[in-house]
Amino acid sequence: QPSSIEYLDRWKRWNPVTVPFLKEQGYESFAWINPSEALGDKYISPYGGFAYREADDHNKALYRPITLDCDLDVQPGPEDPFTTKVDNTTEGSSSAGDYSPSS
């Protein structure tokens, strides 16, 4: 089964990053992930989210799921618990999320 990045490649879902802050952070492209969409064997969020692909290594992406837990006064930082980096260059790499929707 293809990785989440390969899935987004196959369906030509990546778009150029235009936000200067994201470019400065080293991201080249982004993709919208639909609510409850599975990317290969990865499930991101019941509410959808974004994937940001690194400019230096196209096998790495940052996944930002949409959540209902939102505090508008808090800015995400490097220790943001809703951030998962995926490195598809190594076997056994972290997944884009292991969320299983509850019945």
Side-chain angles (χ1 to χ4, degrees):
Q1 185 150 30
S3 72
S4 53
I5 291 174
E6 291 168 334
Y7 178 86
L8 293 168
D9 280 339
R10 181 179 293 168
W11 294 102
K12 301 182 185 329
R13 301 267 299 273
W14 296 106
N15 297 286
V17 166
T18 58
V19 177
F21 172 77
L22 292 172
K23 285 182 169 185
E24 291 166 9
Q25 297 299 310
Y27 298 106
E28 170 182 88
S29 52
F30 76 95
W32 166 248
I33 301 165
N34 294 307
S36 299
E37 179 178 16
L39 298 177
D41 62 349
K42 309 296 185 241
Y43 182 82
I44 307 301
S45 167
Y47 308 108
F50 291 93
Y52 298 94
R53 183 182 244 177
E54 292 187 11
D56 294 338
D57 187 345
H58 285 183
N59 289 312
K60 293 183 179 179
L62 171 78
Y63 291 87
R64 302 285 303 183
I66 303 298
T67 67
L68 295 181
D69 300 326
C70 182
D71 184 347
L72 298 178
D73 294 331
V74 176
Q75 296 296 315
E79 301 302 319
D80 184 354
F82 298 110
T83 299
T84 304
K85 275 208 172 195
V86 174
D87 180 348
N88 286 325
T89 59
T90 59
E91 222 173 291
S93 62
S94 64
S95 70
D98 293 326
Y99 177 88
S100 296
S102 54
S103 304

